[in-house]
Each structure stands twice: as structure tokens, then as C-alpha cells.
Amino acid sequence: MNNNTSCDTSVLINFLKIKRIDLLQNCSHFFFITDHVVDEITTYYPNQQALLKSALDQKILTKVSVNSSEELKIFEELSKSGQLGAGECAAIAFAVHQNYYLTIDDNQAIKKASFLLLPNRILRTQDLILLMIQENLLNIDEADHMIQIWAKEHRFKLKFNSFNELAHCCSSKT
């Protein structure tokens, strides 16, 4: 199964800010970030540069460029409206062209990506955390602690209070 994943800035920042980028290393997905995403993190999140560099050096993340004609065409089309940032456009274009998963949290970007990717190929931060719980990389208490840190210290709020709600929901479907 191809678990290659193109990662947008929004998801990476959530892991970088709480210094848990290590969780991506053991996850069943392999994470790729475009030059555009690296530029966004470097420009807008300078406090995360050292952790990002370390993640790239450790091969937790693999840096790629959007440079094929198909990727550039998708990137240009997504950029036209001015509604999405370069990192989002690049992450989507790379995921579409490579037939990879896409991790992204921005609702507007998800809406645009859903026209180009199957919905089950688009993952939010919460989907990755749930996957990590299922893969026994995190327990629910650890994941819930992450929710609290994100909400309290980083202005990232999820629409539920505990991953127990999602874990129960998903396990009852199988």
C-alpha cells in the first residue's frame, strides 16, 4: 500500500510546535514536504526552523520540489484565485500528481483538494493522531494532552474534547 503523504505547513506546524515531529517517524506514512512548505515554515515560523532542519536531516520528512509540468499546471490553477497559499497549492499539486495522501487542515484548501483527490486521501491533524493511536504510537491520554496544549498555547482547537470520542466511533464502524 502506498502511504506516501504530501504534508502542508498547517499539519507540520502542529507537530513542530509541541516538539512531537518524532511521531511522524514511526507512523505508517512517509511524509514529503515541498520547497514551498519549507519556505513558509522558515518565513512565518522561525522558532520551528531548527526542529524542521532536524526532521529533514533525520529523514523524518523528505523535501521535494514541485517541478513536473502537471504539478506546475495544478499549482498555477490553484494559485489563480489567490485564496490558497503557495504551500497549500504545492502540497496539493504534489499529492495529486504523485497520487499520494495529503495532510492539510485549512478548510478552504481541503475543499479545493477534494475536487482533485478522493476524500479518504485527505488527512487532517486529527486523522494522523487517530492513526497513531491505532498504530499504538500514542495512547488516548497522550493524544488528549496534545489537544490541550494546542488549544492553550498554539491557537489550534479541535471540535471534540477527547480522541476517545473518535477512537470509539471508528472502532465501532469496523
Side-chain angles (χ1 to χ4, degrees), residues 77-139:
E77 193 62 37
L78 290 168
S79 298
K80 277 183 184 176
S81 69
Q83 297 173 327
L84 303 181
E88 293 161 336
C89 294
I92 294 168
F94 188 74
V96 170
H97 180 252
Q98 299 295 329
N99 193 28
Y100 284 2
Y101 285 87
L102 171 67
T103 61
I104 196 161
D105 282 328
D106 181 84
N107 288 330
Q108 196 166 25
I110 289 169
K111 185 176 180 180
K112 298 270 187 191
S114 67
F115 290 109
L116 302 168
L117 290 166
L118 294 173
N120 68 338
R121 304 290 282 183
I122 301 171
L123 306 171
R124 293 175 176 267
T125 297
Q126 66 197 43
D127 300 318
L128 282 180
I129 296 296
L130 187 58
L131 177 66
M132 291 170 187
I133 291 169
Q134 293 167 344
E135 293 178 353
N136 295 314
L137 301 175
L138 280 174
N139 63 44

Side-chain angles (χ1 to χ4, degrees), residues 5-94:
T5 305
S6 177
C7 224
D8 179 48
T9 305
S10 57
V11 173
L12 284 178
I13 286 300
N14 290 332
F15 288 95
L16 288 168
K17 281 188 169 182
I18 62 169
K19 297 176 175 52
R20 290 308 314 261
I21 197 78
D22 63 292
L23 289 170
L24 300 181
Q25 186 170 27
N26 297 316
C27 184
S28 61
H29 285 245
F30 304 98
F31 297 92
F32 295 83
I33 61 171
T34 67
D35 296 334
H36 296 86
V37 170
V38 171
D39 289 345
E40 281 185 358
I41 293 172
T42 302
T43 302
Y44 300 108
Y45 302 95
N47 294 341
Q48 310 311 320
Q49 286 182 35
L51 286 173
L52 176 63
K53 182 181 180 329
S54 176
L56 289 165
D57 291 345
Q58 294 175 53
K59 308 276 189 250
I60 295 171
L61 304 169
T62 301
K63 185 170 127 179
V64 295
S65 296
V66 171
N67 54 19
S68 76
S69 59
E70 184 181 335
E71 290 167 342
L72 292 170
K73 181 180 175 186
I74 296 166
F75 180 90
E76 183 180 318
E77 193 62 37
L78 290 168
S79 298
K80 277 183 184 176
S81 69
Q83 297 173 327
L84 303 181
E88 293 161 336
C89 294
I92 294 168
F94 188 74

